[in-house]
Amino acid sequence: MAQKDKDFQYMAIADLLAELEKESFKLDPAVESRVVAGLLGLLNTSSNNVQEQAVKCLGPLARKVKETTVQEMIDSLTENLLSEKSSEELRDISSMGLKAVIAAVPADSNVQCGFLHKRLTPKLIQCLQQQSQMDVKVYCLDLIIDVLTRLGRQVNHDAVQKAVLPLLMSNLSPLRKRCITCIGLLAVSDPDPLFSQLLEFLLKGIDSASRADHIRTFIQCISTIGGAVGYRVGKYLNAIVPMIVKYCGNPKFDQDDELRENCFQAFEVLAMRCTKEMTPHIDSVMSLALKFIKYDPNYAADDDENEEMDVDEAAEDEEEEEAGDYSDDDDMSWKVRRSSTKCLCAIITTRIDLLHTLYQKVGPVLISRFREREENVKVDVFRAFTDLLRQTAISNKRSSSNFVNTTNELLGALIPKAVARITAQLREKSAKTRLAAFAVLKELVAVAPGCMSARVSDLVPGLVFSLREKAANSSLRVEALAFLRLLLASHPPEVFFPHVATLAPHVLKAMGDPYYRIAAEGLRAGAQLALTIRPAAPFTPSFEFRPHVPGLYNAALGQLRAQDIDQEVKECALYCVGTIIAVLGDELRADLPACLALLLDRLRNEITRLTAVKVLATIAASELKVDLSPILPDAFAELASFLRKSNRQLRQSSLLTLGTLVEQYGAPSTLSVQVLPELSALVSDADLFLSHLALLLCVQVMRSAGAAATPAVQERIVPQAFELVKSPLLQGVALTTLLLFFSELVSLNPKVITFEFLIDNLLSMTKQKDALNKQAYTSVAQGVAAVCTSAKPSQRDTVVSKFIKEFPKAKDDGKLLSLLAIGEIGRRADLSHHETLHALLMLALEQPSEEVHTQNFWREVALSWTNDRNTLSR
């Protein structure tokens, strides 16, 4: 670095930087000062490359050297910045160096942080107060912003605030902007007295300022403070909002569009951050925003919001606007319209309680502005209406039925005109506009399914126009396909029958598109189109769907066969082919064997097997009873093997698919050997939902295979089921399915798995050395009741009589089980003929155990006498 040659200097600094970035690198204390001095000296060199490289070293170097050396670095850089003799270039590079050092100072280093706010900040403040050169003040403000960002509360806020506030009235715009940023940071940690002084200064400034740029600065400052600490600004809103409202309609500033934009930006921030405190001012702010969202002094157009307009009229209006489009580079009125639109967005997203008012006042105005001539504003208008629809969806989930009905009525009144206006926008040249229009349509379909049935014929031309776009507008084609899929899924099939011939070619083309996003969305749309052209029963369509079957099938099969495609496209191709087979399989009998072989191949592929499992379930559940015999044995074997995998989602889907296959096609003779051993590991309280699915599949196999499944069930499943009964976690669907399993066991093979075997094993659990959890007693009692209910009445009566007989001599746990079991049996069967139950009830009342005569247990016993209320009253 000491060489005069610039290339040597550059290479030396580059080598130093490379070493400094290594965590193991440490500077020798003897060399430290020389390295720092050499770097600082190179900041004043004439080579820009050397200067930039030296600045890059300062930050990493500050982390490696001693704290005293860091202080020297900051002192030297500050001197270069503030000295009147320094050149503009040296000040600029020194400012960059200081920024790097400030960013590098560790936040937990009290010495270095203390040095920053005790020695650096006072010098910067003094410069702001005394320095006459504005560019130096800009540098100082930048550094104060960095120090406030790093240190926050440690800085002397009073001194900084007193130095910065007067600069808000500077004639230099960059200086005012930095002051606003600085004040926003101060507001975060200002003490309450200082914060009050700050707000009072700004309010007085707004009230007394005569220049528009000063008023704008003060309003921007309030916006920044509101965005940073809105909760602190809330109590000043009664003074702030009326003052800003005044300037929106002040004739003196009638031509100042930038001032109005700042006012609405402030309203937007305050509406977002001071929701509660803005309540008294919402009406006035909303009225202003609704007024200025139409503000366009350079374009005169009739806008009758109450006019009924169909699609043809909307198209004519669009042509007129295109013919008479007014372009003026000096026209800034669009900024006012955009800021007022965003202000309405803030009100919509924060005031869901005003939803009906928003539909009555804001909704019609937003729809009228769908014809906005400025693209950026138009997109924001679409977003505002989308936000209104999203708020509707949220409200409908948690509001009363009366509120929801009123909301839907208000929305329904707006839908015809909204769809008509949006339909016209779908033929716009701008892709950005059409993307925003599709976003509104998708949200509208989600909130109000079926709302566009009468307008489908108007939507189709716009859809086709977007689906014809070239690859450059791939995002637009994806959105168009996504909307088409939602439209098909949420509307009656018959409204699309006249348009299938128009839409199908574009969907088929998208299904084979080389761009993966278009292909994936096209395959989803193709699957939905298959469901539309042949709806499920009881719908009996008069539409001739057969001409479209080969095209859909071949397009989907082509993607299914491809190997070098994106994972998403592979999964969508599987889904599409599965849907087509499930819906149109009877028209594809000749092609099914080859397609099913491909499906089996994807089932064996680790990447696509999960999707293939779900698709197989879809085909199996079809009403067409598709012939799966070519792949069924191999599919059963693969699905059984998946039950051993660690992927929970794969195991869950495999269990569901196996259940569907067994229910629709029956259980083959080998299934008990293949599947039931795998199910035993899943029947546990480690995952109760998987236990539920495993037991449910076991029940389905037992029903289908009958006595053939007995050995595997008795050996593998029954012991696990008895263990599961003991679990204190057993509840919900797992408990319900377990009881169903016990009920099926009674009728499976009475000679092998007898009624007595089941009852004895269940009751023996309460007599084991390891005490059962109290929750397990309830599970055992329900198991006993399930077995008794499925058995012969004489067997059930024997068990009930046994409980009644043993009750007086039993211990507390035995008495508890007896009462619970009798109660559960009484839920399922009539026990009123057991006369001794009355004596049992009287005896139980005399028991000292709190658990035995608690109210819940008597409710169980009372339920056992459902057909003998007179006995219960006695």
Side-chain angles (χ1 to χ4, degrees), residues 282-317:
I282 282 291
D283 288 341
S284 59
V285 171
M286 190 188 301
S287 299
L288 272 176
L290 292 173
K291 174 184 176 182
F292 282 99
I293 196 175
K294 310 172 191 174
Y295 174 72
D296 197 354
N298 294 323
Y299 181 78
D302 293 334
D303 188 18
D304 185 4
E305 296 172 8
N306 297 318
E307 177 188 3
E308 293 295 332
M309 184 180 69
D310 59 17
V311 175
D312 294 333
E313 290 173 343
E316 291 174 5
D317 289 342

Short mmCIF file of all heavy atoms in Angstrom, two decimals, residues 282-317:
data_model
loop_
_atom_site.label_atom_id
_atom_site.label_comp_id
_atom_site.label_asym_id
_atom_site.label_seq_id
_atom_site.Cartn_x
_atom_site.Cartn_y
_atom_site.Cartn_z
N ILE A 282 -63.31 8.28 9.98
CA ILE A 282 -63.37 7.39 8.82
C ILE A 282 -64.32 7.92 7.76
O ILE A 282 -64.02 7.90 6.56
CB ILE A 282 -63.79 5.97 9.26
CG1 ILE A 282 -62.60 5.24 9.88
CG2 ILE A 282 -64.33 5.16 8.10
CD1 ILE A 282 -61.49 4.91 8.90
N ASP A 283 -65.48 8.41 8.17
CA ASP A 283 -66.47 8.88 7.20
C ASP A 283 -65.93 10.04 6.37
O ASP A 283 -66.10 10.06 5.14
CB ASP A 283 -67.76 9.29 7.91
CG ASP A 283 -68.53 8.10 8.45
OD1 ASP A 283 -68.27 6.98 7.97
OD2 ASP A 283 -69.35 8.28 9.37
N SER A 284 -65.30 11.01 7.02
CA SER A 284 -64.78 12.17 6.29
C SER A 284 -63.65 11.77 5.35
O SER A 284 -63.57 12.23 4.20
CB SER A 284 -64.32 13.25 7.26
OG SER A 284 -63.30 12.75 8.12
N VAL A 285 -62.76 10.90 5.82
CA VAL A 285 -61.65 10.45 4.99
C VAL A 285 -62.17 9.62 3.81
O VAL A 285 -61.72 9.77 2.67
CB VAL A 285 -60.65 9.63 5.83
CG1 VAL A 285 -59.59 8.97 4.94
CG2 VAL A 285 -59.97 10.51 6.86
N MET A 286 -63.14 8.75 4.08
CA MET A 286 -63.70 7.93 3.01
C MET A 286 -64.38 8.79 1.95
O MET A 286 -64.23 8.56 0.74
CB MET A 286 -64.71 6.94 3.60
CG MET A 286 -65.18 5.87 2.61
SD MET A 286 -66.55 4.87 3.27
CE MET A 286 -65.81 4.18 4.73
N SER A 287 -65.09 9.80 2.39
CA SER A 287 -65.77 10.69 1.44
C SER A 287 -64.76 11.41 0.56
O SER A 287 -64.96 11.55 -0.66
CB SER A 287 -66.63 11.70 2.20
OG SER A 287 -67.62 11.06 2.96
N LEU A 288 -63.68 11.87 1.17
CA LEU A 288 -62.63 12.55 0.38
C LEU A 288 -62.01 11.59 -0.63
O LEU A 288 -61.79 11.94 -1.79
CB LEU A 288 -61.54 13.08 1.31
CG LEU A 288 -61.72 14.48 1.89
CD1 LEU A 288 -60.59 14.79 2.85
CD2 LEU A 288 -61.76 15.51 0.77
N ALA A 289 -61.71 10.37 -0.18
CA ALA A 289 -61.09 9.40 -1.08
C ALA A 289 -62.03 9.06 -2.23
O ALA A 289 -61.58 8.94 -3.39
CB ALA A 289 -60.71 8.15 -0.30
N LEU A 290 -63.32 8.90 -1.94
CA LEU A 290 -64.28 8.61 -3.01
C LEU A 290 -64.42 9.77 -3.98
O LEU A 290 -64.70 9.57 -5.17
CB LEU A 290 -65.65 8.27 -2.39
CG LEU A 290 -65.72 6.96 -1.61
CD1 LEU A 290 -67.06 6.84 -0.91
CD2 LEU A 290 -65.47 5.77 -2.52
N LYS A 291 -64.22 10.97 -3.50
CA LYS A 291 -64.28 12.14 -4.37
C LYS A 291 -63.07 12.21 -5.29
O LYS A 291 -63.19 12.42 -6.50
CB LYS A 291 -64.39 13.41 -3.51
CG LYS A 291 -64.32 14.70 -4.30
CD LYS A 291 -64.33 15.92 -3.37
CE LYS A 291 -64.16 17.22 -4.18
NZ LYS A 291 -64.13 18.40 -3.28
N PHE A 292 -61.89 12.01 -4.71
CA PHE A 292 -60.67 12.23 -5.49
C PHE A 292 -60.22 10.98 -6.25
O PHE A 292 -59.29 11.08 -7.05
CB PHE A 292 -59.55 12.73 -4.57
CG PHE A 292 -59.68 14.18 -4.23
CD1 PHE A 292 -60.22 14.58 -3.02
CD2 PHE A 292 -59.30 15.16 -5.13
CE1 PHE A 292 -60.37 15.91 -2.70
CE2 PHE A 292 -59.43 16.50 -4.82
CZ PHE A 292 -59.97 16.88 -3.61
N ILE A 293 -60.87 9.85 -6.03
CA ILE A 293 -60.55 8.69 -6.87
C ILE A 293 -61.04 8.94 -8.29
O ILE A 293 -60.57 8.30 -9.25
CB ILE A 293 -61.19 7.41 -6.28
CG1 ILE A 293 -60.56 6.17 -6.89
CG2 ILE A 293 -62.68 7.39 -6.50
CD1 ILE A 293 -61.05 4.87 -6.29
N LYS A 294 -61.97 9.90 -8.46
CA LYS A 294 -62.47 10.29 -9.78
C LYS A 294 -61.79 11.55 -10.31
O LYS A 294 -62.13 12.01 -11.40
CB LYS A 294 -63.97 10.54 -9.71
CG LYS A 294 -64.78 9.44 -9.05
CD LYS A 294 -66.22 9.91 -8.86
CE LYS A 294 -67.01 8.96 -7.99
NZ LYS A 294 -68.36 9.48 -7.69
N TYR A 295 -60.85 12.08 -9.55
CA TYR A 295 -60.24 13.37 -9.89
C TYR A 295 -59.38 13.23 -11.14
O TYR A 295 -58.32 12.61 -11.12
CB TYR A 295 -59.40 13.86 -8.71
CG TYR A 295 -58.61 15.11 -8.97
CD1 TYR A 295 -59.24 16.34 -9.08
CD2 TYR A 295 -57.23 15.06 -9.10
CE1 TYR A 295 -58.51 17.49 -9.32
CE2 TYR A 295 -56.49 16.20 -9.32
CZ TYR A 295 -57.13 17.42 -9.43
OH TYR A 295 -56.40 18.55 -9.66
N ASP A 296 -59.84 13.82 -12.24
CA ASP A 296 -59.10 13.76 -13.50
C ASP A 296 -59.43 15.01 -14.31
O ASP A 296 -60.23 14.98 -15.24
CB ASP A 296 -59.49 12.49 -14.27
CG ASP A 296 -58.48 12.16 -15.36
OD1 ASP A 296 -57.57 12.98 -15.57
OD2 ASP A 296 -58.61 11.10 -15.98
N PRO A 297 -58.82 16.13 -13.96
CA PRO A 297 -59.19 17.39 -14.60
C PRO A 297 -58.87 17.47 -16.08
O PRO A 297 -59.44 18.29 -16.80
CB PRO A 297 -58.38 18.43 -13.80
CG PRO A 297 -57.22 17.67 -13.24
CD PRO A 297 -57.74 16.30 -12.97
N ASN A 298 -57.99 16.61 -16.57
CA ASN A 298 -57.59 16.67 -17.97
C ASN A 298 -58.39 15.72 -18.87
O ASN A 298 -58.08 15.57 -20.04
CB ASN A 298 -56.10 16.31 -18.11
CG ASN A 298 -55.22 17.34 -17.45
OD1 ASN A 298 -55.51 18.54 -17.50
ND2 ASN A 298 -54.16 16.89 -16.82
N TYR A 299 -59.39 15.07 -18.27
CA TYR A 299 -60.17 14.13 -19.06
C TYR A 299 -61.62 14.22 -18.61
O TYR A 299 -61.93 13.94 -17.45
CB TYR A 299 -59.65 12.70 -18.88
CG TYR A 299 -60.40 11.67 -19.68
CD1 TYR A 299 -60.17 11.53 -21.04
CD2 TYR A 299 -61.34 10.84 -19.06
CE1 TYR A 299 -60.85 10.57 -21.77
CE2 TYR A 299 -62.02 9.89 -19.78
CZ TYR A 299 -61.77 9.76 -21.14
OH TYR A 299 -62.46 8.81 -21.85
N ALA A 300 -62.49 14.59 -19.49
CA ALA A 300 -63.91 14.72 -19.16
C ALA A 300 -64.65 13.54 -19.73
O ALA A 300 -64.57 13.24 -20.92
CB ALA A 300 -64.48 16.03 -19.73
N ALA A 301 -65.38 12.83 -18.86
CA ALA A 301 -66.17 11.67 -19.31
C ALA A 301 -67.38 11.53 -18.42
O ALA A 301 -67.30 11.74 -17.22
CB ALA A 301 -65.34 10.39 -19.26
N ASP A 302 -68.50 11.20 -19.04
CA ASP A 302 -69.72 10.96 -18.26
C ASP A 302 -69.57 9.64 -17.53
O ASP A 302 -69.18 8.63 -18.11
CB ASP A 302 -70.95 10.90 -19.17
CG ASP A 302 -71.21 12.26 -19.81
OD1 ASP A 302 -70.81 13.26 -19.18
OD2 ASP A 302 -71.78 12.29 -20.91
N ASP A 303 -69.91 9.67 -16.25
CA ASP A 303 -69.78 8.44 -15.44
C ASP A 303 -71.00 8.30 -14.56
O ASP A 303 -71.02 8.68 -13.41
CB ASP A 303 -68.51 8.52 -14.59
CG ASP A 303 -68.24 7.20 -13.88
OD1 ASP A 303 -68.83 6.19 -14.31
OD2 ASP A 303 -67.47 7.20 -12.91
N ASP A 304 -72.03 7.78 -15.14
CA ASP A 304 -73.27 7.56 -14.40
C ASP A 304 -73.18 6.21 -13.72
O ASP A 304 -73.30 5.17 -14.33
CB ASP A 304 -74.47 7.62 -15.35
CG ASP A 304 -75.78 7.51 -14.60
OD1 ASP A 304 -75.76 7.47 -13.35
OD2 ASP A 304 -76.82 7.46 -15.27
N GLU A 305 -72.94 6.25 -12.41
CA GLU A 305 -72.74 5.00 -11.67
C GLU A 305 -73.98 4.15 -11.60
O GLU A 305 -73.91 2.94 -11.41
CB GLU A 305 -72.25 5.30 -10.25
CG GLU A 305 -70.91 5.98 -10.24
CD GLU A 305 -70.54 6.45 -8.85
OE1 GLU A 305 -71.27 6.10 -7.91
OE2 GLU A 305 -69.56 7.17 -8.70
N ASN A 306 -75.14 4.77 -11.77
CA ASN A 306 -76.38 4.00 -11.65
C ASN A 306 -76.86 3.44 -12.99
O ASN A 306 -77.88 2.79 -13.06
CB ASN A 306 -77.49 4.89 -11.06
CG ASN A 306 -77.14 5.33 -9.66
OD1 ASN A 306 -76.63 4.54 -8.87
ND2 ASN A 306 -77.40 6.59 -9.35
N GLU A 307 -76.10 3.70 -14.02
CA GLU A 307 -76.51 3.25 -15.35
C GLU A 307 -76.32 1.75 -15.49
O GLU A 307 -75.26 1.22 -15.17
CB GLU A 307 -75.67 3.99 -16.39
CG GLU A 307 -75.97 3.56 -17.82
CD GLU A 307 -74.97 4.18 -18.80
OE1 GLU A 307 -74.06 4.86 -18.33
OE2 GLU A 307 -75.12 3.96 -19.99
N GLU A 308 -77.30 1.06 -15.99
CA GLU A 308 -77.18 -0.37 -16.25
C GLU A 308 -76.45 -0.54 -17.58
O GLU A 308 -76.83 0.05 -18.60
CB GLU A 308 -78.57 -1.03 -16.34
CG GLU A 308 -79.32 -1.04 -15.04
CD GLU A 308 -78.60 -1.90 -14.01
OE1 GLU A 308 -77.91 -2.85 -14.43
OE2 GLU A 308 -78.73 -1.63 -12.82
N MET A 309 -75.39 -1.31 -17.55
CA MET A 309 -74.57 -1.41 -18.75
C MET A 309 -74.25 -2.87 -19.01
O MET A 309 -73.76 -3.56 -18.14
CB MET A 309 -73.27 -0.63 -18.55
CG MET A 309 -72.40 -0.61 -19.79
SD MET A 309 -70.90 0.31 -19.47
CE MET A 309 -70.11 -0.81 -18.35
N ASP A 310 -74.52 -3.34 -20.20
CA ASP A 310 -74.18 -4.71 -20.54
C ASP A 310 -72.80 -4.75 -21.18
O ASP A 310 -72.12 -3.75 -21.33
CB ASP A 310 -75.25 -5.33 -21.45
CG ASP A 310 -75.43 -4.54 -22.75
OD1 ASP A 310 -74.52 -3.74 -23.06
OD2 ASP A 310 -76.46 -4.72 -23.42
N VAL A 311 -72.39 -5.94 -21.59
CA VAL A 311 -71.03 -6.11 -22.10
C VAL A 311 -70.80 -5.33 -23.37
O VAL A 311 -69.74 -4.75 -23.58
CB VAL A 311 -70.75 -7.61 -22.33
CG1 VAL A 311 -69.38 -7.82 -22.96
CG2 VAL A 311 -70.82 -8.36 -21.02
N ASP A 312 -71.80 -5.27 -24.26
CA ASP A 312 -71.62 -4.55 -25.52
C ASP A 312 -71.40 -3.08 -25.27
O ASP A 312 -70.55 -2.44 -25.90
CB ASP A 312 -72.85 -4.75 -26.41
CG ASP A 312 -72.98 -6.22 -26.85
OD1 ASP A 312 -71.94 -6.89 -26.91
OD2 ASP A 312 -74.12 -6.66 -27.11
N GLU A 313 -72.16 -2.50 -24.34
CA GLU A 313 -71.98 -1.09 -24.01
C GLU A 313 -70.63 -0.84 -23.39
O GLU A 313 -69.99 0.16 -23.65
CB GLU A 313 -73.09 -0.66 -23.04
CG GLU A 313 -74.46 -0.60 -23.71
CD GLU A 313 -75.56 -0.35 -22.69
OE1 GLU A 313 -75.29 -0.56 -21.49
OE2 GLU A 313 -76.65 0.03 -23.07
N ALA A 314 -70.18 -1.78 -22.54
CA ALA A 314 -68.86 -1.63 -21.93
C ALA A 314 -67.78 -1.64 -23.00
O ALA A 314 -66.82 -0.87 -22.94
CB ALA A 314 -68.61 -2.76 -20.93
N ALA A 315 -67.94 -2.51 -24.01
CA ALA A 315 -66.95 -2.57 -25.08
C ALA A 315 -66.91 -1.27 -25.87
O ALA A 315 -65.85 -0.77 -26.24
CB ALA A 315 -67.28 -3.74 -26.01
N GLU A 316 -68.11 -0.68 -26.12
CA GLU A 316 -68.15 0.59 -26.83
C GLU A 316 -67.45 1.69 -26.04
O GLU A 316 -66.72 2.50 -26.58
CB GLU A 316 -69.61 0.97 -27.08
CG GLU A 316 -70.30 0.06 -28.10
CD GLU A 316 -71.78 0.38 -28.22
OE1 GLU A 316 -72.21 1.36 -27.58
OE2 GLU A 316 -72.49 -0.34 -28.94
N ASP A 317 -67.68 1.71 -24.71
CA ASP A 317 -67.02 2.70 -23.87
C ASP A 317 -65.52 2.56 -23.95
O ASP A 317 -64.78 3.55 -23.98
CB ASP A 317 -67.48 2.55 -22.41
CG ASP A 317 -68.92 3.01 -22.25
OD1 ASP A 317 -69.41 3.73 -23.14
OD2 ASP A 317 -69.55 2.63 -21.23
#
